[in-house]
């Protein structure tokens, strides 16, 4: 099973893989770069922000049974 990570780490890793910068992400989210920086700097963020950012990146948040394995390329959020 993959080691659980903080939501901000998972988002930053997806952004890195998709070559999305903080600046372009903030434009897509219609928020200031400072707000984007603050959201990504936190280890814990609102679920609504996590879901909105995931959607912008073409991802979705899914809840699964605790005994399910995390597949390569997926993230388990702490």
């Amino acid at each position: 099973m993959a080691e659980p990570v903080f939501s901000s780490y998972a988002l930053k890793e997806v952004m890195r893989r998709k070559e999305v910068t903080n600046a372009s992400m903030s434009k897509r989210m219609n928020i200031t770069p400072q707000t984007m920086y603050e959201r990504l700097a936190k280890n814990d963020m609102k679920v609504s922000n996590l879901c909105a950012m995931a959607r912008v990146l073409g991802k979705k948040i899914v809840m699964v049974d605790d005994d399910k394995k995390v597949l390569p390329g997926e993230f388990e959020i702490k």
Side-chain angles (χ1 to χ4, degrees):
M1 183 180 283
E3 181 69 25
V5 298
F6 291 111
S7 54
S8 57
Y9 172 85
L11 287 168
K12 287 187 269 190
E13 181 59 20
V14 172
M15 288 170 63
R16 184 191 67 75
R17 291 176 186 177
K18 291 183 170 265
E19 299 180 353
V20 175
T21 65
N22 285 3
S24 65
M25 187 69 174
S26 65
K27 285 182 183 179
R28 293 178 187 188
M29 297 285 301
N30 198 29
I31 59 176
T32 66
Q34 180 63 31
T35 299
M36 178 59 61
Y37 173 81
E38 289 168 358
R39 286 183 186 177
L40 291 173
K42 294 178 182 176
N43 287 333
D44 191 17
M45 68 175 66
K46 290 182 179 180
V47 172
S48 59
N49 288 340
L50 176 62
C51 291
M53 293 172 77
R55 275 192 304 275
V56 167
L57 293 167
K59 300 289 185 180
K60 61 183 174 181
I61 307 301
V62 178
M63 293 177 63
V64 297
D65 292 333
D66 199 29
D67 62 346
K68 299 291 183 197
K69 292 188 179 197
V70 178
L71 301 176
E74 297 178 339
F75 296 95
E76 179 180 340
I77 306 295
K78 287 185 180 180

